[in-house]
Amino acid sequence: MRIMIFGGTTEGRELSYLLSGWGVPVSVSVATEYGREIQGEKSGVRVYAGRRNQEQMIKLLRQDNITACIDATHPYAIEATRNIRAACIQSGVAYRRLARPESVLPGDPDMTITPNLTRAAEYLSKTADNQNILLTIGAKELNIFAGFQNPNHENYINPERLFPRILPTHEGLSACENLKIPRRNIIAAQGPFSVEFNQAMIRQFQISYLVTKDGGQAGGFPEKLTAAKNTGIKLILIRRPEETGETFDFDTIAAFCRELYHHDQSIQRL
């Protein structure tokens, strides 16, 4: 038997290490070569890098003769989850969604919650042109701000105001370049980031608004929230999409995988 983990997240990586330590054969699929680097090498763990559509996922599941698939992708990766679930159904592979716990949000007047990044950008376009914006949303969705770069548009946002914090990859830097964001504004670094580090960035770049997603504890959301409070800036939170279907926590998923492995070992001994 072999377990497939679609990951690239902290919990996906931790699960792969735990299972390999138990002797469970594991395959891990991450979206990028950078994800492969962060995943690292571990005995018993086979790593694949590259974004895959549904058909490519099916091919991978069949190629590795997968018994069960764990979807440990990011809570905002809606399309990936949809494709993984469909690929498992078509392949006859057991599917489990490892869901990252949502954060408990305070009723804070200095926090604005928006349903998506477009609405957040519309909100920010109405703010003063001398108020800088720290974007901690990743590079993939930065292109949304391209629609707000026409100076004659009512929702114009000056690229000089944008300070994106991205992973240090060619793709991330290219996304910033396409938006004509000044290089001096780009913060290319790998988290997690402490409260102190977030505060230092906010003060260094004279930030007035911090835009983020609810990445939970693993995504450093509590540290961002605290840093925003301590520095007196406004936090713009992109609401987490609702999970569709049944979800499980880390311990339940780990127990499920271990039970499958022990069952398989028992059958082989017969």
Side-chain angles (χ1 to χ4, degrees):
M1 68 158 286
R2 178 172 286 272
I3 302 290
M4 169 66 75
I5 300 173
F6 282 91
T9 55
T10 300
E11 50 268 59
R13 183 167 60 255
E14 290 176 352
L15 180 63
S16 72
Y17 290 175
L18 179 64
L19 296 183
S20 68
W22 290 342
V24 182
V26 179
S27 293
V28 175
S29 176
V30 296
T32 65
E33 285 297 328
Y34 188 78
R36 185 203 293 273
E37 179 184 329
I38 299 301
Q39 170 69 32
E41 295 184 5
K42 192 78 172 176
S43 177
V45 179
R46 187 182 297 167
V47 183
Y48 298 94
R51 301 187 190 281
R52 289 176 169 78
N53 59 29
Q54 186 177 314
E55 290 304 316
Q56 291 167 329
M57 290 175 179
I58 292 172
K59 182 178 179 181
L60 188 58
L61 292 172
R62 290 174 176 168
Q63 168 192 303
D64 276 14
N65 195 26
I66 297 301
T67 304
C69 176
I70 309 303
D71 175 6
T73 56
H74 195 275
Y76 288 79
I78 306 172
E79 185 178 355
T81 287
R82 186 184 303 119
N83 286 336
I84 295 166
R85 183 182 288 114
C88 288
I89 291 172
Q90 291 193 41
S91 304
V93 172
Y95 170 88
R96 294 292 186 276
R97 170 63 169 151
L98 172 54
R100 181 179 294 181
E102 291 190 58
S103 300
V104 177
L105 302 178
D108 195 328
D110 289 328
M111 178 191 296
T112 294
I113 302 175
T114 65
N116 53 54
L117 192 51
T118 299
R119 292 289 294 275
E122 289 173 354
Y123 173 90
L124 291 165
S125 71
K126 309 302 182 186
T127 58
D129 197 48
N130 64 346
Q131 294 181 312
N132 293 335
I133 303 162
L134 177 59
L135 299 172
T136 63
I137 56 171
K140 191 177 178 183
E141 293 183 291
L142 284 178
N143 63 333
I144 289 175
F145 285 88
F148 296 81
Q149 291 195 332
N150 181 352
N152 298 318
H153 196 282
E154 62 175 346
N155 290 327
Y156 172 67
I157 297 178
N158 188 338
E160 295 274 348
R161 298 179 62 193
L162 302 178
F163 289 77
R165 190 165 75 191
I166 59 170
L167 292 173
T169 63
H170 293 299
E171 294 80 5
L173 293 172
S174 294
C176 294
E177 188 174 299
N178 292 339
L179 284 173
K180 299 180 173 56
I181 293 174
R183 292 183 183 274
R184 64 179 178 275
N185 289 17
I186 301 171
I187 307 164
Q190 166 68 42
F193 302 101
S194 66
V195 172
E196 292 76 17
F197 193 79
N198 281 314
Q199 291 175 175
M201 286 186 181
I202 291 168
R203 293 181 176 123
Q204 171 71 25
F205 299 110
Q206 300 178 344
I207 299 299
S208 297
Y209 297 91
L210 191 162
V211 184
T212 187
K213 298 175 180 178
D214 177 14
Q217 185 71 46
F221 178 73
E223 289 79 6
K224 296 175 192 175
L225 180 62
T226 301
K229 282 179 171 293
N230 290 350
T231 54
I233 69 168
K234 193 173 188 71
L235 188 140
I236 312 296
L237 176 65
I238 312 303
R239 183 182 293 123
R240 183 183 290 195
E242 287 187 18
E243 293 278 357
T244 57
E246 194 173 12
T247 63
F248 302 88
D249 62 23
F250 186 95
D251 291 341
T252 303
I253 290 286
F256 164 76
C257 294
R258 189 169 194 174
E259 184 178 343
L260 276 181
Y261 179 62
H262 286 164
H263 178 69
D264 180 75
Q265 294 298 103
S266 297
I267 291 175
Q268 291 189 31
R269 286 193 292 266
L270 293 178

